[in-house]
Structures are given as C-alpha cells and as structure tokens.
Amino acid sequence: MEKTTTYVNLALSKPTTEAILDKYVRHLTKVNFVIEFKAAILRNCTTERPFTDSTPLEIVTIEAAAPLEHEVLIRINAASLCRSDLSVITGVRAWPMPIVPGHEASGTVEEVGSGVTRLSPGDQVVLVYQPQCGECPCCVSGNVYLCEPGLAANRAGALLGGGSRLSINGEKIHHHMGLSAFAEMAVVSEHSLVKVDKDLKPEIAALFGCAVMCGAGSVINTGNVKAGESVAIVGIGGVGASAILGARLAGASRIFAVDIDRDKLQTALSLGATDAIEAGPDAAARIIEDSAGGVDCAVESAGIQEAFQTAYDCTKRGGRVVNLGLVNPSTLYSIDLAAHVTSAKSITGSYMGSCNPQIDIPRFVELFKEGRFPIEQLITHRMPLSDVNLALERMAASKALRQILSP
Ligand SMILES: [Zn+2]
Ligand SMILES: [Zn+2]
C-alpha cells in the first residue's frame, strides 16, 4: 500500500510536507498538527463468514492528534493478528465502536510528546497492550500486567492519559487496548512501549507484544515450570505454540501438545513438543497414562471450556493448571470442590503471561538472539495491511499461527 502519511498544518489548513514541517514549523506548533494515515477500522461487529465477503474491517484515512504529554507517535512497521482479534470483530467481547483494532505490533518512534525521556525518534519499540501506570497498587506491587488505570483506559477505548487521539472528520474513533496497530501509525502512551534493539526484525519484534508474553510467560511466569517438569499445552494457536517454546526454555522434560487439528500437532512437534495428542474426551486419560499420573503443569490456550477441562483433568495431584485462553465471557465452569481439595491442584489465571514487559521482553529478546527461543517459527503468513480481512478469515479457519501485516 502506498504510504499516505501527511502532516496537516491546522493553522494553514493545508497539507505540509514533512520536510517543510521539520525545517520551519513542526517544533514550534507541534500541538496544532494532526497526522493523517491509513488504518483498518471496525464500525459494526459481525459473525458473517467468510470475512473476505463481509469485510468487517475497512481501510480508511484517519486523523490522529499530535502526541500529548507522555505520549509517542509511532510508525507501525509490523502488526500481527492474534486470535483475540476475532472476539473484537464478532463482538464476543464488547468494545466501544468505532474502533481500530490491532494489539500486537512493533514500530519506530517518530515523535515524542513532552515529558517523554526514555524514548527518542528512531528508536524501535514493541507495543504492549496493557499500559502500566507505575503508580497503582498493582504496579507498585510488581504485578504491572494488572495495572488498574491501564485496564480502565483499555475498556474505554482510550489512552492511559484519557480520551482518544483518533478521529475521522471530527467523529471520535476508539483505540484498541491503547494501541490500534492495524494502521500505518499510532499515537500511544509511553507506558505502552518497550524499547528494543534497532537491528531486531520488525516482524520478530511485533511477536513479543502478545504471543511471546502470553504464551511463554504463561509457562515460565504463571506456571513457574522448572527444569525436568512435565507440561501439557491444550490448544496450539500462536499463543499455544509460544507456550511450547516457553516450556522448552524452562527445561520441561515432556511437553504434551493437544489440538483437534493434525497440522497444528505436527507444528507443535516441530517446535519441540515431545508428544502430540488429539483433542477429545480421551485426551486427558492418554496424557495421564503416558506421564504416569498427569503433568506438573497444564496450560489451557484454546479459549474453550472443553480445553480447560482437559487441562484440569490431565494435571497431576498437587499440580498447576494455568487458564490462559479467553473464553466467551458468558462461560461458567463448575468444579467438584471436594475432589479439588483432595487433589490439591491450583488454578491460576494468566493475563499477559504474568509478565513485566519492561523486564521480560528484553530477556526474551536476548534468548531469541542466542537462538534459544526460535519465535520466527510462529510466523506462517505475511501480507499488506489491505489484506487484513483475508488474514482474519484465515485466523477464524484456524489455518495460521501468526500472520504479519505490513502497512
Ligand atoms: Zn493477543
Ligand atoms: Zn498501574
């Protein structure tokens, strides 16, 4: 797609080239500028498939206000699709409309607002879908992935600093998870960004924002898997595949991969799973038999109740069950409480892989560079942003792990 970013001088009411802007006025009247660029917008949720026909996302020209205090203008270099994007499109999870989705991406800092000191133009950044205010009780206690103002801003379709910077002819457009990365550019809070090396490929950098933290983090941080332990990953999408890589990093001895799709099971084996188990009512019994009593830690990463049941059942007595997949919010789960007590299993929800992005992303990047964390294997497709509906359809048909969109 042709690059269409222009800066519009509101005082003159006409487009101004970046060169002129840099030379004469940009630094003086920055706050008076809006930035125009292409973005994929969702106005109405739909479950109608194929998405290549119903085209829920439309590529439009959108305007963003210049970054305010503690905000940053980013040029998106790579954005990838995550299964939770589907829940935005179908309305299974309710977001304010209209909205620009996209929560897994990397980009280059173009411009910083006042008060931003740790980032400069030219820096490569990973976009993180949960901003961390650094001041709320969750942030102060180290659980930054639970940041309360960050969550409240996300739910409102706003930035951490309040409100939206996106609009079309005066109509307010909402941010998705403080990012809205299915676009050529984004204005985000500096607290949604982690700086990474400039030489990291943008498509690799993008994966750290969701797939890596959620998947590998669920095993290493939430599940606290130790060397020699056995693990089951139930559901092999991009996040489940990342969880397999995380289990390898943690030194798990046996890694059971469970999925209904045989191709995905083959992928799981190529990523380092030791055993492929077809999903179904017998899956847990097979794992219990093959692991002599169940695994130390099972991760549910399919987002359906049956997968959670398999994960719970195949966990050994005293073991850990990690609940990672985002099920339909109306899903309830009943449990035999007496058996739960006597089996002494623990169940832990895993949001953002219990990661502290500023600490964990640089660690994962180092492990990638050392060749110990081959996340490039998660990328199955690459395409321009204009093909976003095709990518959605492929994701809905479970025919992709990670698909990279290039603006
Ligand atoms: Zn995601
Ligand atoms: Zn906070």
Side-chain angles (χ1 to χ4, degrees), residues 14-192:
K14 64 180 184 186
T16 309
T17 68
E18 283 185 60
I20 292 172
L21 208 55
D22 281 335
K23 254 185 177 170
Y24 300 110
V25 286
R26 192 172 180 181
H27 64 289
L28 294 175
T29 56
K30 202 159 59 180
V31 76
N32 285 330
F33 285 87
V34 294
I35 304 106
E36 288 184 349
F37 52 88
K38 297 281 190 200
I41 191 170
L42 176 70
R43 289 193 173 276
N44 299 298
C45 295
T46 181
T47 54
E48 216 175 290
R49 302 233 339 244
F51 291 130
T52 41
D53 288 347
S54 58
T55 58
L57 290 174
E58 186 191 354
I59 307 292
V60 297
T61 298
I62 196 168
E63 295 168 1
L68 301 181
E69 190 178 14
H70 295 298
E71 292 175 358
V72 180
L73 174 66
I74 304 292
R75 181 175 296 280
I76 303 291
N77 295 326
S80 43
L81 270 88
C82 167
R83 199 160 180 88
S84 63
D85 291 320
L86 286 177
S87 67
V88 181
I89 301 298
T90 60
V92 163
R93 299 187 80 80
W95 292 95
M97 298 283 142
I99 195 166
V100 175
H103 68 277
E104 183 175 293
S106 68
T108 306
V109 173
E110 284 272 310
E111 196 160 331
V112 297
S114 63
V116 177
T117 53
R118 62 189 180 85
L119 295 169
S120 314
D123 285 347
Q124 177 165 224
V125 285
V126 174
L127 282 65
V128 174
Y129 63 80
Q130 170 81 28
Q132 311 107 50
C133 78
E135 294 173 5
C136 73
C138 293
C139 282
V140 169
S141 65
N143 299 321
V144 301
Y145 52 93
L146 298 176
C147 174
E148 287 160 5
L151 184 65
N154 279 358
R155 287 195 173 148
L159 295 190
L160 187 63
S164 168
R165 308 291 170 266
L166 304 176
S167 62
I168 298 176
N169 297 325
E171 178 195 15
K172 176 178 165 182
I173 309 296
H174 295 89
H175 296 264
H176 183 222
M177 308 202 93
L179 302 177
S180 290
F182 292 163
E184 292 174 330
M185 305 194 85
V187 174
V188 307
S189 165
E190 67 166 323
H191 302 295
S192 301

Side-chain angles (χ1 to χ4, degrees), residues 183-267:
E184 292 174 330
M185 305 194 85
V187 174
V188 307
S189 165
E190 67 166 323
H191 302 295
S192 301
L193 298 170
V194 174
K195 183 173 161 180
V196 292
D197 295 351
K198 284 178 187 168
D199 60 3
L200 197 62
K201 275 173 90 173
E203 64 178 28
I204 296 293
L207 301 178
F208 289 94
C210 177
V212 166
M213 283 200 293
C214 293
S218 73
V219 174
I220 295 168
N221 293 342
T222 320
N224 197 20
V225 169
K226 296 185 177 60
E229 288 196 318
S230 54
V231 175
I233 312 294
V234 188
I236 311 300
V239 169
S242 166
I244 290 173
L245 296 178
R248 274 178 61 189
L249 265 182
S253 56
R254 291 283 289 274
I255 304 171
F256 293 88
V258 185
D259 204 285
I260 48 170
D261 186 308
R262 291 192 175 178
D263 291 343
K264 293 239 168 110
L265 289 176
Q266 275 307 318
T267 303

